[in-house]
């Protein structure tokens, strides 16, 4: 799951999809090797490295907050937040033993396990899927069924925007044969403004925000939400099976401290922006602050979801997602959903 300019949540590249298969054997063989972060310092804290995909961004505010407020330190953890480079593989840090945990979509974790990569979700960040169809305000498209015969722009046939399109079409009883899917790269704003497409798939907590801040009137045709909604799961914290087995208590501490950061960010978005400033070089003026606040406010309902505890995975949605991805050819073999996630590392109620 990789962040790209103009995206609020990480997106996968076509090359990364191929890399999943190539990494399978090497990650499995490297999983038992000691990580550089297995050591404790003289103060008794235990080191951990979290992979944050691509550039520093306000989407990572809960992690910046947990660091700046001392939540990780309170848990006895010395956490390194490692931002991936643009060319870095999603699971590359785990493979090399340079990362202990990382941010990844639930859908990407299912793809990883289908490629024999032993990765598992231990905390879900976005409980509602953040992708929607964005249309001009005067568009005749009002629901999923209205996509029939329309031209829909996506960055490419990969990643969460494409997965979201497949799910939206399914809600309308349609397939890709019923629409013209056009690969437009990350030019959603230009493509929709110039009317080269009838709608674009984008993130409601970033792409839609950018449209609105540019003064463009758009509407979001959203995926259904809740247990019976879209069969997709977005951002969460993943780690390897072997790391869970080797350091389960550290994972529990990390998840609990991160959830404190999530709760603080939801309750205090303005202060979360101030705390994030030390991590985001571009967060330096009123315009960037306003944009960051808009992103956090749009992200809040995605994080809270429609039920259950913060961070909790819904077993039914994971099962439906595994079946959906197999049905749509996004994975080549069936994956038992309960291998791809666990709620066992969330704080006890």
């Amino acid at each position: 799951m990789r962040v790209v300019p103009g995206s609020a949540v990480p997106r996968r590249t076509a090359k990364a999809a191929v890399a999943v298969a190539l990494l399978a054997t090497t990650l499995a063989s490297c999983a038992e090797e000691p990580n550089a972060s297995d050591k404790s310092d003289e103060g008794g804290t235990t080191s951990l490295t979290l992979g944050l995909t691509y550039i520093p961004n306000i989407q990572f505010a809960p992690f910046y907050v947990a660091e700046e407020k001392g939540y990780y330190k309170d848990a006895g953890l010395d956490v390194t937040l490692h931002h991936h480079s643009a060319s870095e593989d999603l699971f590359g840090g785990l493979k090399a033993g340079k990362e202990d945990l990382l941010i990844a979509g639930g859908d990407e974790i299912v793809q990883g396990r289908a490629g024999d990569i032993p990765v598992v979700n231990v905390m879900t960040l976005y409980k509602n899927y953040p992708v929607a169809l964005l249309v001009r305000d005067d568009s005749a498209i009002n629901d999923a069924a209205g996509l029939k015969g329309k031209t829909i722009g996506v960055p490419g046939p990969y990643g969460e925007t494409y997965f979201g399109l497949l799910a939206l079409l399914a809600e309308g009883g349609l397939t890709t044969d019923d629409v013209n899917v056009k690969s437009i790269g990350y030019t959603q704003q230009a493509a929709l403004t110039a009317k080269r497409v009838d709608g674009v798939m984008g993130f409601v907590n970033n792409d839609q925000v950018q449209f609105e801040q540019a003064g463009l009137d758009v509407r979001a045709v959203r995926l259904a939400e809740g247990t019976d909604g879209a069969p997709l799961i977005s951002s969460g914290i993943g780690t390897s099976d072997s790391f869970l087995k080797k350091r389960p208590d550290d994972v529990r501490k990390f998840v609990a401290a991160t959830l404190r950061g999530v709760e603080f960010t939801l309750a205090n978005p303005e202060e979360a922006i101030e705390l994030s400033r030390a991590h985001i070089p571009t967060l330096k003026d009123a315009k960037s602050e306003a944009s960051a606040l808009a992103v956090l406010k749009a992200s809040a309902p995605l994080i809270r979801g429609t039920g259950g505890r913060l961070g909790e995975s819904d077993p039914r949605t994971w099962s439906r997602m595994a079946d959906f991805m197999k049905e749509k050819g996004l994975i080549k073999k069936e994956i038992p959903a309960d291998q791809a996630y666990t709620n066992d590392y969330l704080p006890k109620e």
Side-chain angles (χ1 to χ4, degrees):
M1 192 166 66
R2 184 175 304 285
V3 173
V4 296
S7 166
V9 292
R11 304 179 190 177
R12 205 174 176 79
T13 65
K15 291 182 179 179
V18 176
V20 165
L22 297 177
L23 287 175
T25 303
T26 51
L27 180 55
S29 64
C30 293
E32 299 301 330
E33 295 180 6
N35 287 348
S37 60
D38 284 348
K39 300 178 182 179
S40 296
D41 62 25
E42 294 180 358
T45 57
T46 302
S47 297
L48 285 175
T49 297
L50 172 70
L52 299 175
T53 48
Y54 205 54
I55 61 175
N57 189 280
I58 196 61
Q59 69 170 302
F60 300 124
F63 305 97
Y64 301 149
V65 166
E67 174 67 18
E68 295 300 317
K69 294 286 287 184
Y71 298 156
Y72 292 134
K73 184 178 179 180
D74 291 347
L77 300 174
D78 178 13
V79 175
T80 297
L81 302 177
H82 171 234
H83 287 277
H84 288 186
S85 67
S87 60
E88 196 166 348
D89 288 330
L90 176 63
F91 299 117
L94 284 180
K95 178 200 71 171
K98 294 181 179 179
E99 294 175 356
D100 305 301
L101 307 107
L102 81 162
I103 304 301
D107 36 32
E108 292 173 317
I109 284 177
V110 168
Q111 283 189 320
R113 292 206 78 97
D116 297 324
I117 295 179
V119 62
V120 59
N121 173 292
V122 294
M123 188 196 104
T124 294
L125 183 59
Y126 291 163
K127 299 185 72 175
N128 287 342
Y129 210 67
V131 169
L133 174 70
L134 304 179
V135 298
R136 293 181 296 275
D137 197 46
D138 60 357
S139 172
I141 302 174
N142 295 302
D143 54 25
L147 273 68
K148 188 171 184 178
K150 304 299 184 182
T151 298
I152 308 301
V154 295
Y158 51 80
E160 291 184 314
T161 47
Y162 186 67
F163 300 161
L165 173 60
L166 296 182
L168 189 62
L169 290 171
E171 286 183 12
L174 306 173
T175 71
T176 53
D177 292 334
D178 296 305
V179 296
N180 175 26
V181 181
K182 188 173 183 179
S183 294
I184 59 173
Y186 298 104
T187 64
Q188 290 100 321
Q189 198 171 118
L192 190 60
T193 301
K195 299 185 178 182
R196 293 196 294 269
V197 295
D198 297 300
V200 297
M201 298 303 296
F203 292 87
V204 296
N205 58 338
N206 190 296
D207 294 306
Q208 186 174 5
V209 170
Q210 289 191 8
F211 272 111
E212 292 170 350
Q213 291 186 331
L216 303 173
D217 294 326
V218 297
R219 288 186 291 106
V221 179
R222 301 287 296 271
L223 290 160
E225 297 177 348
T227 302
D228 295 319
L232 294 170
I233 295 168
S234 186
S235 302
I237 297 172
T239 189
S240 65
D241 290 346
S242 63
F243 190 76
L244 278 183
K245 182 178 180 180
K246 184 166 52 177
R247 295 173 61 184
D249 289 341
D250 288 336
V251 173
R252 289 189 179 91
K253 292 175 182 177
F254 178 83
V255 168
T258 298
L259 284 171
R260 290 182 68 188
V262 171
E263 290 169 348
F264 184 93
T265 300
L266 291 173
N268 308 279
E270 291 89 352
E271 190 169 348
I273 290 171
E274 288 300 315
L275 292 167
S276 298
R277 195 184 300 277
H279 299 266
I280 307 175
T282 57
L283 191 56
K284 57 185 179 181
D285 54 32
K287 183 177 180 180
S288 60
E289 289 173 5
S291 178
L293 183 59
V295 168
L296 289 185
K297 287 184 175 180
S299 298
L302 303 174
I303 294 171
R304 291 192 179 98
T306 54
R309 293 182 293 159
L310 287 178
E312 187 175 29
S313 286
D314 176 62
R316 182 176 174 185
T317 304
W318 277 90
S319 181
R320 291 172 60 232
M321 179 170 64
D323 292 342
F324 176 80
M325 294 183 76
K326 178 64 169 62
E327 176 189 341
K328 297 299 181 181
L330 300 173
I331 57 177
K332 299 302 182 183
K333 66 179 182 180
E334 293 184 3
I335 295 297
D338 58 4
Q339 293 181 5
Y341 79 95
T342 176
N343 286 319
D344 293 346
Y345 296 85
L346 297 175
K348 300 298 183 183
E349 292 185 282

